[in-house]
Amino acid sequence: AGIVGPNNAGKSLLFNSLSGHKLSPSEPRGGATRCLIGATSPTLAKVLQEEPSLAQFPLVPITFDGTPKLVPEAGRNAEDPAELLLVSVQDFPPGVLLIDAPDFDSILTQNRAATESLMQVADLAVVVVTRHTYHNELVVRFLEDWLRNQRPWVLVYNEAFVDESITTEHAEALRDKLGSPPVAVFHAPFDLDLQSGIGQLTPVGLASAASVCGASAAVPAPGTPLADWLFGKQRLRLKQQALASSAKSLATDLKELEQILRSEGALASRILETVGGEIS
């Protein structure tokens, strides 16, 4: 699951809250995280390191003598944008790799490249927006190609209004622009303490999520913490949806490749006929 979003939306704060440790740099000015950083269980970390093809990232394991703490390397651009700083966290939900990413609207090419690397392989995009960024055209442009084949995404509306109807209206507007409904919607109220780096970001299920996701969607109950839903039993369903989307995307790519090869083959045939050659 990849946490993505525009500048200063609260991505790293959410990542730290979900992982249970302040691992990724989170600052009020935004833009502090400049490379991919992931948290997972020691068991899955061992599996990914022993079989790199499963990780799909060049891994850089981060080790600690005791309790995990801030990873300074996450505040610097990696030489390879696809590089993933991997932190093993005891008691982390099994089978989950949670990844924090730089701002996809950053002016730094390396930041955008890192996030694009993540979006090539993520099963689920946790899209974090605020009241100031939900209508950001860059959000739409970045996500619409990734969502082309109905890949699953969840919307986290940070710094939300007290009036949930406004949050619902904004979520519906973003959904309509993307042309793909999220599988769930969570929101967290504006909190001055969080702006100062105090406390944890704990989004909960939006009461009117069904109007955004669709009446038939299996949205979490209102007030359900994002952590409970993200690490819960529906992980298998999300994985199946991601795999189906990847298969659909592959089929589309193969069809386009077939058309290109047929066109080039027809052109080659015409050239050979013109010069009196033979096709072998």
Side-chain angles (χ1 to χ4, degrees):
I3 301 177
V4 298
N7 176 58
N8 210 22
K11 300 181 296 301
S12 294
L13 182 59
L14 178 61
F15 172 80
N16 292 336
S17 298
L18 290 171
S19 67
H21 299 277
K22 186 175 181 180
L23 304 173
S24 187
S26 175
E27 301 177 3
R29 61 181 174 83
T33 302
R34 296 195 172 192
C35 67
L36 300 177
I37 176 171
T40 192
S41 67
T43 301
L44 183 54
K46 185 173 183 293
V47 170
L48 296 178
Q49 291 175 62
E50 291 179 347
E51 184 48 70
S53 63
L54 292 176
Q56 304 189 68
F57 297 98
L59 296 179
V60 178
I62 303 296
T63 58
F64 300 95
D65 294 334
T67 302
K69 54 184 178 295
L70 183 67
V71 180
E73 294 89 343
R76 301 189 287 269
N77 290 113
E79 186 173 331
D80 181 354
E83 183 178 278
L84 174 64
L85 306 178
L86 186 64
V87 181
S88 298
V89 178
Q90 292 292 338
D91 300 323
F92 199 81
V96 177
L97 173 57
L98 182 68
I99 301 176
D100 186 22
D103 310 325
F104 59 57
D105 59 348
S106 173
I107 61 173
L108 299 177
T109 303
Q110 301 99 313
N111 287 10
R112 299 197 304 273
T115 305
E116 288 165 359
S117 297
L118 169 62
M119 296 299 275
Q120 291 295 319
V121 298
D123 291 320
L124 176 72
V126 181
V127 181
V128 186
V129 299
T130 68
R131 66 179 79 182
H132 307 294
T133 60
Y134 80 95
H135 54 14
N136 188 332
E137 189 65 24
L138 289 176
V139 174
V140 177
R141 291 177 183 174
F142 178 79
L143 291 173
E144 58 188 359
D145 183 62
W146 189 77
L147 296 169
R148 184 164 47 117
N149 292 305
Q150 290 78 53
R151 295 185 73 175
W153 66 292
V154 55
L155 177 61
V156 176
Y157 194 108
N158 190 21
E159 301 179 6
F161 295 91
V162 175
D163 185 351
E164 289 191 19
S165 66
I166 300 177
T167 300
T168 304
E169 179 183 333
H170 290 180
E172 290 174 340
L174 179 56
R175 174 206 62 195
D176 293 344
K177 288 181 180 179
L178 288 172
S180 175
V183 294
V185 181
F186 295 83
H187 67 130
F190 178 78
D191 188 335
L192 280 175
D193 285 341
L194 293 179
Q195 299 296 307
S196 303
I198 303 172
Q200 294 189 332
L201 179 57
T202 54
V204 297
L206 186 68
S208 55
S211 68
V212 182
C213 306
S216 61
V219 297
T224 301
L226 172 62
D228 290 356
W229 178 86
L230 185 62
F231 301 142
K233 295 181 179 180
Q234 86 296 326
R235 293 205 312 260
L236 179 59
R237 176 177 59 84
L238 294 171
K239 183 70 174 181
Q240 290 173 332
Q241 186 176 345
L243 289 173
S245 171
S246 295
K248 185 176 180 181
S249 179
L250 178 60
T252 299
D253 291 343
L254 289 174
K255 187 173 182 179
E256 292 176 354
L257 178 60
E258 178 189 18
Q259 292 174 344
I260 293 172
L261 293 176
R262 286 183 181 277
S263 176
E264 291 184 349
L267 176 60
S269 296
R270 290 196 299 271
I271 293 174
L272 289 173
E273 290 172 359
T274 300
V275 300
E278 296 182 355
I279 302 177
S280 60

